[in-house]
Amino acid sequence: MIELLDFLIFDNLIYILAIVLGVILTVAYLTYFERKVIAFMHVRMGPNRVGPWGLLQPFADVLKLLTKEIIFPKNANKFLFLIAPIITLATAFAAWAVVPFADGMVLADINAGLVYVLAMTSLGVYGVIIAGWASNSKYALLGALRSAAQIVSYEIAMGFALVGVLVAAGTLNLSDIVRAQEGGFLNWYLIPLLPLFVIYYISGVAETNRAPFDVAEGESEIVAGFHVEYSGAAFALFFLGEYANMIIISALTAIMFLGGWYSPVSGDSWIAQPSIFWFLAKTSIFLYAYFWLRASLPRYRYDQIMRLGWKVFIPITIVWIMVVAVFKVYHVGPWWN
């Protein structure tokens, strides 16, 4: 019994290490691909000096950040100043515990996985608020208040969008939500939950403070927002947490609405077989959309962002949840049979 327990603990540690290292390496090269994609759209070269085709640029960036001095602002609360980026990063990584990469390939296949993900992604706002307050800077504090209000506002719309998924699938288990979409593209929740899909992804972009919703970084008003006073490794943790949140939002979008590890076609051919490849491919598409939006759209005004969240997204999600409930009760379409 003890040997079995030791094996399970060792097995879980290996899985955790694989997830953490995988996310860190993905974040490193996301920064590279983001610069390359935006450079392509803006007809520029992008990173092309460090290593062949600039492939070692992410490692140069990491080395630079880790060797820079962490400067504490005068009268800043040093403990909270250092704990804030750790909270942001820890909540971003903790959400990965229940994400199924393929059938059976999940660290913790818990029944309340959807609630757990919402809880972990919601806790990240504490890191933002603490960072802004502990810096003892009016610019950081204003940026933290802006960012926190935006995150909380769009978290409500995201939550309602996921309620629609819950009504459709009848379960909070992420693996079961994916299995409910088995059978090809026509069985994905993308079709009956299309308004909720659009709202969920746009809210995810807003919650991660990415363009065009990056009002926490208004250069003409509050400089870099809540992390304006951070440098070196402390800033790197915020940077890592932001990109880890981008990946988790993209992965959850693929799981909730695009069938997770299932192929878009059904049948017995090799291309129709479910695998982690399909999950990673769908996640990559949504990550590319992040870069596309940043390269294409200007930053919105803060009042426009808040109006969109409260007066447009939330009413639409509430109405569509009722529509989905009617579809479910009367078995309208192939999704509810």
Side-chain angles (χ1 to χ4, degrees):
M1 183 67 183
I2 295 176
E3 291 179 357
L4 177 61
L5 184 61
D6 290 341
F7 173 77
L8 291 175
I9 292 173
F10 178 76
D11 189 49
N12 284 337
L13 286 175
I14 294 296
Y15 204 89
I16 291 170
L17 187 62
I19 291 175
V20 171
L21 290 179
V23 172
I24 291 174
L25 286 175
T26 304
V27 167
Y29 275 99
L30 268 183
T31 62
Y32 172 80
F33 285 116
E34 178 173 18
R35 283 182 278 186
K36 279 292 189 181
V37 167
I38 295 176
F40 175 77
M41 291 183 174
H42 292 172
V43 197
R44 295 184 284 107
M45 291 296 293
N48 63 348
R49 289 290 184 270
V50 185
W53 305 290
L55 286 171
L56 297 180
Q57 184 64 52
F59 295 99
D61 293 338
V62 170
L63 182 63
K64 179 185 72 174
L65 286 170
L66 293 180
T67 53
K68 287 185 71 174
E69 180 185 2
I70 299 178
I71 300 173
F72 294 94
K74 187 179 180 181
N75 298 325
N77 187 314
K78 289 188 178 181
F79 174 74
L80 294 179
F81 188 83
L82 289 175
I83 205 72
I86 296 174
I87 292 174
T88 300
L89 183 64
T91 54
F93 274 79
W96 282 97
V98 296
V99 174
F101 297 89
D103 197 3
M105 193 182 293
V106 57
L107 179 61
D109 193 22
I110 60 177
N111 290 330
L114 193 59
V115 175
Y116 174 83
V117 167
L118 277 175
M120 288 299 104
T121 53
S122 300
L123 287 174
V125 71
Y126 287 105
V128 172
I129 295 173
I130 292 172
W133 185 84
S135 297
N136 194 37
S137 165
K138 59 183 178 184
Y139 298 110
L141 181 60
L142 288 172
L145 293 176
R146 269 188 177 193
S147 183
Q150 179 176 311
I151 291 172
V152 171
S153 299
Y154 281 88
E155 189 74 36
I156 298 172
M158 286 182 70
F160 278 135
L162 294 183
V163 168
V165 177
L166 169 61
V167 172
T171 178
L172 289 168
N173 185 289
L174 296 183
S175 297
D176 289 340
I177 289 173
V178 175
R179 294 187 189 104
Q181 302 174 68
E182 182 181 3
F185 173 79
L186 293 179
N187 289 319
W188 292 355
Y189 289 149
L190 173 68
I191 299 173
L193 305 181
L194 183 61
L196 301 185
F197 160 73
V198 174
I199 289 172
Y200 179 81
Y201 185 70
I202 295 176
S203 298
V205 175
E207 191 180 350
T208 49
N209 284 316
R210 294 284 301 184
F213 300 99
D214 57 339
V215 291
E217 301 176 15
E219 290 90 348
S220 60
E221 311 140 34
I222 52 176
V223 202
F226 62 90
H227 54 64
V228 67
E229 301 291 349
Y230 282 84
S231 61
F235 173 78
L237 293 182
F238 272 122
F239 198 73
L240 183 59
E242 177 182 317
Y243 277 77
N245 280 323
M246 287 169 52
I247 302 170
I248 193 72
I249 292 294
S250 301
L252 289 174
T253 307
I255 288 170
M256 304 294 178
F257 301 99
L258 270 76
W261 60 79
Y262 285 114
S263 168
V265 296
S266 58
D268 297 325
S269 63
W270 65 270
I271 200 171
Q273 299 306 309
S275 73
I276 190 174
F277 165 78
W278 291 113
F279 171 75
L280 296 178
K282 295 167 187 176
T283 303
S284 300
I285 290 172
F286 292 115
L287 286 172
Y288 176 78
Y290 267 100
F291 308 150
W292 190 2
L293 291 172
R294 180 178 177 183
S296 306
L297 298 175
R299 180 183 294 127
Y300 292 144
R301 287 201 325 264
Y302 194 70
D303 62 307
Q304 293 173 326
I305 290 174
M306 299 305 284
R307 185 184 302 115
L308 179 68
W310 286 100
K311 294 187 177 181
V312 178
F313 282 178
I314 292 178
I316 291 175
T317 53
I318 292 174
V319 170
W320 205 256
I321 288 170
M322 292 190 243
V323 172
V324 172
V326 172
F327 285 171
K328 179 82 171 179
V329 170
Y330 292 101
H331 302 288
V332 180
W335 308 279
W336 327 119
N337 297 319

